[in-house]
Every structure is written in structure tokens, then in C-alpha cells.
Amino acid sequence: MNIHEYQAKELLSQFGVKVPKGAVAYTAEEAVAAARRLGGPRFVVKAQIHAGGRGKAGGVRLVHSEKEVAEAASALLGKKLVTAQTGPEGREVKRVYVEEASEIARELYLGLVVDRASGRVTLVASTEGGVEVEELAVRAPEKILKAPIDPATGIQPFYARNIAFGLGLSGGQIDGAVRFVTGLYRAFHDLDAALAEINPLVVTEGGDLLALDAKLAFDDNALFRHPEIRELRDEDEEDPLELEASRHALSYVKLDGDIGCMVNGAGLAMATMDIIKLYGGRPANFLDVGGGATRERVAAAFKLILRDPHVEGILVNIFGGIMRCDVIAEGIVGAAREVSLRVPLVVRLQGTNVELGQEALKQSGLPIVTAEDLADAAEKVVRAVKEAR
């Protein structure tokens, strides 16, 4: 789960991470009132959407008066902001963050991620902040500093000091970096975050370290421990289909293809998408119904796939271990009848009660194509989609 910048900064400040003063606003009038409370000659008005690259897209504006605050807020609120991460459709700006301007001497990058290779939370830093760190990793990997943190000890001062030296900090900035990194790690750990990113981390003219921007993403599986975090969820920022999937405990990610996939197990789902590509098709989604899905969840998954207007065919690939194939078949048949199936449907079932499942599909009277194995299923669904056009 992602949250907005202003929410991330509020959380981080509770752990001792320094952030500029600011306030969220939903109207131009509220933005002016926020600037008035902050005081000072300069402000920054920032569009609040769940996407990076806002600055390049005109979503971050430096202004020099309350009048300019109102103008910037009016220009952003209600408008679609298109960035590299939103795609061409963009995201509507429904709130802005009015923040005091900072005197910036240097821009750096600092982040915490879960490194799957080492199995550890890892500090990532760079002397080049305000840029896409992924691009930097390809263009100049030597500028990326990494420090895997031993889970047995947690964060220790030497981790932060090593990063600080690598970033070229000195004097009192070293102690500031230790406090900053320690607070960031505590927030990451205590809130069950999946990502914490400060880009840019700025060194001010006075030598302070500030989180000029902040991004926090949380592990959905741990949200039951953090009801206060769950309340920060902004459903308007989420894909409607992915949001609906979460309500049915389905793992769903929308893609840009035209063949819908319903599979049980993440690994099998990835293999299914790969083989669809191999046979010349394009998967429209990743959808894992889980190992113990009920008939109702299968039906919900099927309907979810069909809500995507780009879907021209569906491949169901189920291996029944814990899950019974007859339950899957009943869910598919029920959902297909309810929504009036309009696209080719190929089903491959293997495992527990597979004969009962195949018989249920056969007796349904629906135009369901069965397959013996995964290659057969992929070939049939790709061919059926092409023939139906």
C-alpha cells in the first residue's frame, strides 16, 4: 500500500526524521491559509499523487508570495498530471502540499528496501539525488552505495557513518546522518514498510539534512497490525480493478495485454504469462486466486477479468492440490453464466477431483475449450483470440 508524500512526512517526523514544515490543502483558499501559517517569503506547492516524476511534469512549483501560492494551487487542483509513472492517462490532482522552501546546498538519495538477494533490509544511497535511481544504477552503478543491515543487530551507528562518508558528508553532518538514518530505519521496521525512499535528501546551506520528498510503501500482509496506516489509504489513487481484487483477497495486477489469466499460485501464474507470450499472445493481468480459494472467490476473479474491456480471451490454469478442481469448475461455470460469456475461454485443470471438474465444464453447455497441458492451453487461447477478431 502506498501513501501520499505529506502522510509519509508526518509519519517519518514521529521517528525523528527531519522534514520541512508544510500542510495539505484541497482548495486554493486552503493553500493560501497554509502558506500564511507557515510564514516566510517562499513556498513550494506540490501535487499529491501516487507517482514519481512530479517535478518534471510541472507538479512541483516554487512560489514567492501568497498570491502565487493560490495561482499554483488553482493550476494543479482538478488537473490531470502526466508523469513517467502514471502513463499517458495521468492522475487527477485532488490535493496539494504547501511547504516552506529550503535553502539547498546539495541533493542526495537515500532509501531502504528489502533486498531479496541478501534477504536483508538494505540501505541504498547516492550522491546524485533528484534523479531516477534505476537509471543511475545502469548509467553509473559505482555511484550507488549499499549497506545490508544485519537483522540480528538492526541499525547501528556505523551503517549510517559509512553511508555518510560515502556521500561526502563531514563534521556535524555525520551526526545528523546517524540520527536521520536511524530514524528512517526505525520507521521502516516498526511500521512494516516495504520501501522508504527519500529523494532528494538535501543538505541545506546551514548543514542540516532534510527529507525534501518522501515515499513510503507498506507490506499489505502486515496492515492488520497497523489500523492507523490502513486509514491513510487513498482508494482514488489505486487501479479500480486492483482495488476490487483486494476486497476479495485476490492477488491481481493489471497489464496491457488482451488475454486474461486466472491461476492458483504466483509461480504458476508467472509461468502462464510467459507461455502466453511464447505462443504470440499478450497477458492482460497477473491473477493468483490462492491455494485455498472458494467457489465465490473464483467467481469474483472471473468477473474481475471480464471487467477489463481489453480482454479478448481467458485462460484458466489450475493445479488442484489443496484446491479442488470441481470447485474451480463450478465457480467458472456460475460466473460465466452470470456475466454472459462473450470471449473465448480455455481451461486447463490438473490435480484433485480433475475428472469431476472436467465433467462439470462439459455438462455446462457453455463454449468452454479444455486443454491437456499448459502448452496446449496457451496455443488454444492465443489461436482463439486471433480467430475471434
Side-chain angles (χ1 to χ4, degrees):
M1 189 189 91
N2 295 319
I3 60 176
H4 288 290
E5 172 196 359
Y6 75 93
Q7 296 168 325
K9 285 181 172 177
E10 183 177 346
L11 288 173
L12 290 175
S13 66
Q14 296 172 14
F15 289 85
V17 175
K18 280 193 173 184
V19 300
K21 295 178 182 177
V24 67
Y26 296 85
T27 65
E29 292 75 17
E30 290 181 4
V32 170
R36 195 166 293 145
R37 290 194 302 271
L38 291 172
R42 299 189 307 153
F43 311 92
V44 181
V45 181
K46 301 181 175 183
Q48 296 297 287
I49 61 172
H50 288 182
R54 293 171 297 158
K56 294 178 182 179
V60 178
R61 306 189 181 193
L62 177 65
V63 297
H64 298 80
S65 67
E66 292 179 6
K67 178 183 177 182
E68 291 184 7
V69 168
E71 292 172 348
S74 296
L76 291 171
L77 288 167
K79 305 299 188 298
K80 288 285 186 73
L81 192 66
V82 179
T83 78
Q85 293 186 12
T86 65
E89 68 278 4
R91 294 273 178 84
E92 182 182 351
V93 180
K94 297 186 177 181
R95 67 197 85 184
V96 294
Y97 190 50
V98 182
E99 190 173 71
E100 62 182 2
S102 301
E103 298 294 337
I104 301 172
R106 294 181 63 197
E107 292 190 359
L108 310 170
Y109 173 89
L110 181 67
L112 279 166
V113 298
V114 179
D115 182 5
R116 305 297 178 185
S118 65
R120 296 183 176 188
V121 174
T122 299
L123 268 170
V124 182
S126 173
T127 55
E128 295 191 24
V131 299
E132 295 292 340
V133 72
E134 295 89 350
E135 295 178 7
L136 182 64
V138 174
R139 174 170 52 85
E142 71 281 357
K143 294 184 178 181
I144 301 292
L145 309 173
K146 293 184 179 181
I149 298 173
D150 190 329
T153 62
I155 192 69
Q156 296 293 318
F158 73 86
Y159 288 113
R161 284 196 294 268
N162 288 342
I163 289 292
F165 293 141
L167 294 175
L169 302 178
S170 60
Q173 296 171 357
I174 303 296
D175 290 337
V178 170
R179 290 191 294 271
F180 193 103
V181 171
T182 300
L184 185 65
Y185 179 84
R186 285 181 51 235
F188 186 96
H189 178 274
D190 294 358
L191 299 177
D192 288 306
L195 170 72
E197 187 176 61
I198 310 299
N199 188 24
L201 165 66
V202 301
V203 181
T204 67
E205 295 288 355
D208 291 328
L209 271 65
L210 285 178
L212 203 63
D213 194 5
K215 178 178 181 180
L216 284 177
F218 300 93
D219 183 349
D220 291 348
N221 295 311
L223 287 178
F224 74 94
R225 291 200 291 255
H226 304 283
E228 76 286 359
I229 301 296
R230 192 168 57 241
E231 290 177 2
L232 301 178
R233 187 171 197 165
D234 184 356
E235 295 185 350
D236 289 339
E237 291 290 322
E238 300 183 33
D239 182 280
L241 294 180
E242 294 181 10
L243 181 61
E244 180 67 17
S246 69
R247 292 171 178 156
H248 296 281
L250 297 167
S251 296
Y252 175 92
V253 178
K254 189 177 182 305
L255 303 173
D256 59 1
D258 50 29
I259 296 178
C261 307
M262 184 168 73
V263 191
N264 65 321
L268 187 58
M270 296 296 288
T272 301
M273 292 190 295
D274 285 345
I275 202 164
I276 287 173
K277 291 283 288 184
L278 181 65
Y279 277 84
R282 297 184 305 136
N285 62 268
F286 168 99
L287 198 161
D288 174 13
V289 296
T294 62
R295 183 184 313 167
E296 292 73 22
R297 189 186 297 179
V298 170
F302 196 82
K303 295 174 187 175
L304 191 71
I305 292 172
L306 286 174
R307 281 181 56 186
D308 183 349
H310 299 104
V311 168
E312 299 180 22
I314 300 175
L315 172 56
V316 177
N317 181 26
I318 299 294
F319 179 80
I322 299 173
M323 182 179 291
R324 290 163 36 199
C325 292
D326 56 324
V327 171
I328 295 294
E330 290 168 5
I332 293 170
V333 170
R337 284 178 174 156
E338 186 175 338
V339 301
S340 300
L341 185 64
R342 56 178 173 77
V343 299
L345 170 61
V346 177
V347 179
R348 179 252 185 173
L349 300 175
Q350 288 294 334
T352 305
N353 288 359
V354 63
E355 294 84 3
L356 293 175
Q358 290 173 341
E359 184 64 20
L361 295 176
K362 182 179 179 181
Q363 296 298 325
S364 70
L366 296 170
I368 299 173
V369 178
T370 58
E372 292 299 319
D373 54 42
L374 184 50
D376 182 39
E379 190 273 333
K380 284 180 176 177
V381 74
V382 172
R383 185 177 68 242
V385 166
K386 290 179 179 179
E387 291 175 351
R389 287 174 178 165

